[in-house]
Amino acid sequence: MNMNPSFIAINDQVIAWEEIMGYMQLFGKLQPFLQEVIGQHVLIQEINNRDDLDIDSSDVMQAIMDFRLEQGLSDSEKFKEWL
C-alpha cells in the first residue's frame, strides 16, 4: 500500500496530501476546509441514515446554499461566526 498517496501532479511533479495539508495550514485555510468537509459529511450521513425522508441530497445541498446566500453567509468567516 502506498503510504504517501498523491493528490495532484503539476508538470510531472507529484504533490502529496501531506504537503497540500501543510500548505493549507501554513496559510490558515486548513481549519475552515476541514470544518466544511466535516459539516458536509455529517449532514450527508444523517440524511443517509434517515429512512423517513424522501428528499434528494442535491435538493438539500441547494437549499443550504440558497439559505447561506439569502442570509449573507456565503463568506466562510461570516458563516463560521454565525455557527
Side-chain angles (χ1 to χ4, degrees):
M1 177 194 288
N2 184 357
M3 297 306 291
N4 292 318
S6 62
F7 177 68
I8 194 170
I10 301 173
N11 294 330
D12 296 325
Q13 181 181 9
V14 174
I15 302 174
W17 272 106
E18 292 84 4
E19 191 173 355
I20 291 170
M21 293 297 143
Y23 292 152
M24 292 180 76
Q25 185 174 20
L26 180 65
F27 294 105
K29 304 288 184 181
L30 184 59
Q31 184 175 357
F33 172 74
L34 292 176
Q35 287 174 327
E36 183 72 24
V37 170
I38 291 167
Q40 297 299 322
H41 176 75
V42 168
L43 179 64
I44 296 300
Q45 290 300 310
E46 185 61 28
I47 290 169
N48 290 337
N49 289 333
R50 300 280 305 263
D51 58 1
D52 60 330
L53 300 175
D54 188 19
I55 302 171
D56 188 315
S57 62
S58 62
D59 292 338
V60 173
M61 298 307 290
Q62 185 60 52
I64 292 169
M65 292 306 299
D66 291 345
F67 173 80
R68 286 182 67 179
L69 289 172
E70 290 169 4
Q71 301 301 314
L73 300 171
S74 57
D75 177 63
S76 62
E77 286 300 314
K78 287 183 182 178
F79 184 63
K80 190 167 85 172
E81 289 175 22
W82 178 80
L83 286 175

